[in-house]
């Protein structure tokens, strides 16, 4: 008899965005003429930049010749891309990484979900709350998260990030073996300062804990003193793995490419206290379960680091950040309590009149035909908040804001 992995059964069946789609569809069936604008889902909308397209065309042509054809590539990724990463993402910040510490991935979701295979099933994990659901769900699937009670997993330490604590998570007072951090944050759009991040690195070093640091949104940072990488903090090489993605940086959600940094100094302990370096373990894992990101995607990613590529990618980020600025200004003027949106493409808004996340979601959908994401979908501390994304076009974002303004004024 084949037995199922019953840990999967503990997961809630409802995936947040499927729930939202269901509610939006129900609305559309009843109001077929309504023109619904989504400021909800976290996908980009602007086309790939010319430098990336040229690189992909060139790579495709190359693959069509006997000399240029590429079969399986190195599991860790091509040297040309890993070198471009070292030279552009780390060296200018004074971070010296070795090329074997970079692992090209097919996007940060896979690796943030898979990385937990490196640690024993009985480690405790700590997450900021609200949070990107992949971190917890991937631990649930192998039984590490325990059981769920009142929306919280028994083996997960939740570190609430709310307006009350300025969205700065408190260092836990009990031992946590592995901590997931994501900055700039999805969903709150908030960032962490170097001095706050230093506290986490020091906690991890002192408690022999690991930090899994998701830097998927680092390209959106506008303030000079906000860290782009955890390795800007001394000692982080001994305690942190970092994830990057070209999805939000350069519109690669459909191309699939990113990278993971596993420093060679990073170790974890066996039960008997032997220190085991994680870099060779991750290499072994990748060689077994991953056959690399496509050559064409890696050439596309390399093009982001050319002078034209940099300029074009920045223009798209500026385009989205213009939306964020408009959204912040309008929502503030209307008297809403809003956060984030200055170094990230997300705006986190407290729902007015203490309405629940889902209640506000429905009010906004029915009243203004605008879709947001209920904050509670990202964790218990997200209740009473909603998320807006700046990934829309200027036109639709402006239209949505106009409707929001009219709707708000009608409700006063
Ligand atoms: C979008 C996102 C990612 C990136 O996912 P990809 O698999 O690279 O497309 C990673 N982490 C967070 C928090 C995200 O929001």
């Amino acid at each position: 008899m084949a037995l199922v992995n019953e840990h999967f059964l503990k997961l809630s069946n409802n995936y947040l965005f499927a729930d939202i789609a269901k509610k939006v569809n129900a609305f559309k069936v009843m109001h077929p003429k309504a023109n619904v604008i989504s400021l909800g889902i976290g996908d980009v909308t602007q086309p790939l930049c010319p430098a990336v397209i040229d690189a992909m065309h060139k790579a495709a042509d190359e693959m069509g010749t006997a000399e240029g054809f590429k079969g399986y590539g190195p599991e860790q990724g091509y040297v040309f891309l890993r070198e471009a990463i070292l030279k552009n993402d780390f060296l200018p910040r004074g971070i010296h990484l070795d090329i074997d510490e970079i692992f090209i991935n097919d996007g940060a979701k896979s690796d943030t979900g898979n990385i937990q295979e490196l640690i024993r099933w009985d480690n405790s994990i700590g997450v900021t709350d609200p949070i990107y659901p992949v971190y917890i769900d991937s631990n649930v699937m192998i039984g590490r998260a325990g059981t769920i009670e009142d929306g919280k997993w028994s083996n997960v330490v939740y570190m609430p990030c709310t307006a009350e604590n300025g969205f700065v998570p408190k260092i836990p007072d009990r031992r946590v073996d592995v901590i997931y951090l994501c900055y700039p944050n999805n969903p709150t759009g908030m960032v962490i300062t170097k001095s706050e991040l230093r506290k986490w690195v020091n906690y991890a070093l002192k408690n022999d804990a690991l930090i899994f640091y998701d830097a998927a949104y680092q390209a959106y940072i506008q303030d000079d003193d906000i860290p782009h990488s955890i390795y800007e903090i001394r000692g982080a090489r001994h305690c942190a793995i970092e994830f990057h993605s070209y999805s939000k940086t350069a519109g690669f959600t459909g191309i699939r490419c990113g990278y993971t940094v596993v420093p060679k100094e990073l170790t974890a302990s066996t039960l008997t206290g032997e220190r085991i370096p994680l870099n060779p373990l991750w290499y072994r894992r990748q060689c077994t379960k991953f056959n690399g990101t496509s050559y064409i995607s890696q050439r596309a990613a390399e093009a982001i680091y050319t002078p034209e590529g940099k300029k074009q990618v920045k223009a798209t980020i500026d385009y989205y950040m213009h939306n964020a600025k408009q959204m912040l200004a309008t929502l503030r003027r209307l008297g809403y309590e809003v956060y984030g949106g200055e170094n990230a493409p997300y705006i986190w808004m407290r729902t007015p009149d203490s309405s629940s996340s889902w209640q506000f979601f429905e009010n906004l959908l029915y009243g203004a035909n605008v879709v947001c994401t209920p904050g509670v979908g990202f964790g218990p501390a997200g209740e009473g908040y909603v998320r807006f994304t700046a990934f829309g076009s200027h036109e639709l974002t402006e239209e949505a804001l106009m409707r929001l303004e009219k709707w708000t004024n009608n409700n006063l």
Side-chain angles (χ1 to χ4, degrees):
M1 180 168 48
L3 298 175
V4 70
N5 175 356
E6 292 188 26
H7 298 306
F8 274 72
L9 310 182
K10 301 178 196 164
L11 287 166
S12 87
N13 281 327
N14 317 335
Y15 183 55
L16 175 63
F17 290 101
D19 270 2
I20 293 173
K22 219 186 291 168
K23 286 185 196 272
V24 172
N25 282 337
F27 171 79
K28 282 183 178 165
V29 167
M30 283 188 290
H31 306 85
K33 290 220 179 83
N35 167 20
V36 175
I37 301 179
S38 176
L39 297 181
I41 199 153
D43 199 356
V44 294
T45 59
Q46 296 304 298
L48 292 166
C49 67
V52 164
I53 293 299
D54 288 347
M56 289 174 77
H57 278 304
K58 217 174 119 213
D61 287 341
E62 222 183 302
M63 295 279 267
T65 66
E67 317 78 60
F69 172 74
K70 303 274 184 303
Y72 291 126
E75 289 90 347
Q76 254 188 296
Y78 285 100
V79 167
F80 62 79
L81 178 55
R82 289 190 282 149
E83 272 177 353
I85 289 166
L86 295 183
K87 222 163 62 197
N88 291 281
D89 286 348
F90 295 103
L91 268 186
R93 307 205 154 87
I95 302 164
H96 296 262
L97 292 172
D98 188 88
I99 196 155
D100 292 332
E101 298 178 310
I102 308 284
F103 296 79
I104 306 301
N105 62 35
D106 62 355
K109 184 188 248 184
S110 312
D111 279 10
T112 51
N114 291 331
I115 197 72
Q116 45 77 29
E117 289 180 22
L118 293 187
I119 55 167
R120 257 174 69 109
W121 64 273
D122 53 355
N123 282 281
S124 60
I125 67 164
V127 296
T128 56
D129 172 22
I131 194 187
Y132 182 57
V134 173
Y135 313 148
I136 294 184
D137 288 359
S138 56
N139 280 287
V140 172
M141 287 174 179
I142 71 128
R144 194 180 288 115
T147 53
I148 195 161
E149 284 152 43
D150 299 332
K152 291 191 179 183
W153 294 93
S154 54
N155 293 343
V156 175
V157 175
Y158 290 80
M159 303 175 285
C161 296
T162 60
E164 284 63 38
N165 63 11
F167 298 92
V168 177
K170 228 177 88 205
I171 302 271
D173 41 22
R174 60 183 259 211
R175 219 206 109 70
V176 180
D177 301 307
V178 179
I179 299 143
Y180 288 85
L181 296 176
C182 171
Y183 289 103
N185 190 259
N186 176 10
T188 66
M190 298 294 277
V191 289
I192 194 163
T193 61
K194 265 190 193 159
S195 64
E196 282 299 326
L197 189 53
R198 190 169 294 121
K199 288 183 195 165
W200 284 101
V201 169
N202 289 341
Y203 172 88
L205 293 173
K206 204 169 129 208
N207 293 279
D208 197 4
L210 287 176
I211 297 175
F212 294 156
Y213 194 77
D214 188 343
Y217 294 94
Q218 59 81 26
Y220 286 83
I221 294 173
Q222 312 283 315
D223 299 349
D224 288 339
D225 45 354
I226 299 296
H228 287 249
S229 163
I230 194 168
Y231 305 116
E232 291 179 42
I233 311 294
R234 189 192 298 271
R237 303 172 58 99
H238 293 268
C239 63
I241 290 177
E242 183 166 281
F243 307 92
H244 286 249
S245 165
Y246 298 113
S247 286
K248 317 306 166 24
T249 305
F252 273 41
T253 50
I255 303 290
R256 311 310 301 147
C257 194
Y259 63 91
T260 299
V261 184
V262 188
K264 289 181 177 165
E265 292 93 330
L266 186 72
T267 60
S269 184
T270 64
L271 271 188
T272 53
E274 193 191 343
R275 305 300 310 189
I276 307 294
L278 295 184
N279 179 290
L281 255 55
W282 186 244
Y283 181 66
R284 187 70 179 78
R285 190 266 174 211
Q286 289 300 79
C287 289
T288 300
K289 297 197 181 181
F290 183 59
N291 252 340
T293 309
S294 84
Y295 175 68
I296 296 176
S297 299
Q298 294 190 59
R299 281 295 183 197
E302 182 194 25
I304 294 166
Y305 296 110
T306 61
E308 319 80 71
K310 280 182 188 171
K311 225 187 304 168
Q312 293 163 3
V313 162
K314 184 176 178 302
T316 306
I317 289 174
D318 289 347
Y319 180 94
Y320 294 134
M321 290 311 282
H322 173 82
N323 283 340
K325 202 178 237 170
Q326 301 293 105
M327 292 159 82
L328 277 180
T330 304
L331 293 168
R332 283 207 174 113
R333 181 161 50 76
L334 295 175
Y336 291 108
E337 196 182 320
V338 286
Y339 302 94
E342 282 164 3
N343 293 286
Y346 295 122
I347 287 168
W348 191 239
M349 186 179 103
R350 204 200 283 265
T351 58
D353 310 320
S354 317
S355 55
S356 74
S357 297
W358 278 110
Q359 186 59 59
F360 183 83
F361 165 89
E362 294 221 355
N363 291 349
L364 187 66
L365 174 61
Y366 282 76
N369 305 348
V370 171
V371 176
C372 61
T373 313
V376 70
F378 299 99
E383 180 55 283
Y385 293 87
V386 292
R387 187 191 73 175
F388 290 106
T389 82
F391 286 133
S393 67
H394 285 172
E395 296 72 25
L396 284 180
T397 304
E398 267 166 40
E399 165 76 18
L401 288 175
M402 250 152 49
R403 289 192 202 167
L404 228 148
E405 174 151 16
K406 210 164 127 197
W407 173 69
T408 304
N409 290 335
N410 285 344
N411 284 342
L412 287 181

